[in-house]
Amino acid sequence: MKVYVPFSPENPKTRLSSLLTDEERVEFVYACLGDVLEALEKTDAEPVVLSTEPIDGLGGHETVVRDEPLTPAVNAVLRKAEPPVGVVVADLPLVTSDALRRLFAPEEGFVVAPGRGGGTNAFVTRISGFRVDYHGTSFLDHIEKARELGADVRVIDSFRLSTDADEPEDIVEVLLHGEGHAAEFARERFELIEDEKERVTVERG
């Protein structure tokens, strides 16, 4: 099964600007992409990077370049792909092969792992004609679209697939639970502290 990994290294993760420089934000998303690809390699999936620009150093992984926003880029490859096909976003710093196997194993027509806040972090579709619309509560929208196409739906409750890295507090989770390149990146720069309200946060090490 082909699994597309949408990736855009152009001015990424702007909400992390308070913690990371422009160059570090680019380095961080590459680290996350590396974690996702390595986790996929340990499954039976065939990863394909769906990038907004040509990129090097991916260890021979197939890359499709489409310089357009996320929704039309993913829909373009879905139109050409033969089900089953998966999509896993590139910014999952806690991803593991075990978490991905839980996503790939069910046989329902549409299997989805939500992100926090209603987004869609990963899915597998075994039905033809499914299209994405990444905005707002896309998780609910995608379930509705799949059911309209007659698919049974399975929701995968996964901490590791639901945790992307968009906000400064997400770096806390990377430091606590990360195992790969993104965790190494974070540990080289940050340490965990307790603030005045005894909440765990990070500061430059």
Side-chain angles (χ1 to χ4, degrees):
M1 176 178 66
K2 286 196 173 185
V3 176
Y4 290 89
V5 183
F7 179 69
S8 177
E10 183 179 354
N11 192 28
K13 301 297 178 187
T14 55
R15 284 176 283 177
L16 293 178
S17 296
S18 62
L19 293 180
L20 300 173
T21 66
D22 293 351
E23 293 78 11
E24 285 176 326
R25 288 188 287 115
V26 172
E27 186 178 347
F28 181 59
V29 295
Y30 270 99
C32 291
L33 173 64
D35 287 336
V36 171
L37 292 176
E38 288 184 8
L40 284 168
E41 287 171 355
K42 296 175 183 176
T43 72
D44 293 330
E46 179 185 347
V48 180
V49 180
L50 177 59
S51 179
T52 56
E53 60 187 57
I55 48 180
D56 298 320
L58 290 181
H61 287 104
E62 181 182 351
T63 302
V64 174
V65 177
R66 296 194 68 93
D67 184 14
E68 56 191 345
L70 178 61
T71 291
V74 171
N75 283 336
V77 295
L78 288 177
R79 278 192 292 271
K80 297 179 180 179
E82 189 74 24
V85 60
V87 176
V88 177
V89 297
D91 58 338
L92 300 180
L94 306 185
V95 67
T96 63
S97 56
D98 286 343
L100 290 170
R101 290 188 189 100
R102 287 186 58 216
L103 176 75
F104 300 153
E107 297 182 355
E108 282 83 355
F110 185 71
V111 184
V112 59
R116 291 174 299 177
T120 303
N121 281 3
F123 70 84
V124 172
T125 178
R126 293 178 172 83
I127 52 175
S128 300
F130 179 80
R131 301 291 181 264
V132 299
D133 189 358
Y134 287 103
H135 76 281
T137 55
S138 66
F139 164 66
L140 297 178
D141 295 339
H142 290 153
I143 288 177
E144 181 179 359
K145 289 175 182 292
R147 286 177 172 157
E148 288 174 353
L149 291 169
D152 293 330
V153 173
R154 172 79 68 91
V155 177
I156 302 299
D157 181 7
S158 170
F159 168 68
R160 291 191 173 275
L161 296 182
S162 69
T163 303
D164 42 30
D166 290 326
E167 307 287 350
E169 55 264 30
D170 295 332
I171 302 300
V172 172
E173 305 300 335
V174 177
L175 290 171
L176 287 172
H177 305 291
E179 302 173 0
H181 301 293
E184 181 180 358
F185 172 93
R187 289 173 184 138
E188 288 175 351
R189 291 163 176 79
F190 302 105
E191 58 186 22
L192 296 170
I193 62 169
E194 286 190 4
D195 63 17
E196 66 278 1
K197 296 182 180 179
E198 297 185 347
R199 295 175 302 192
V200 178
T201 184
V202 298
E203 67 177 10
R204 282 275 180 171

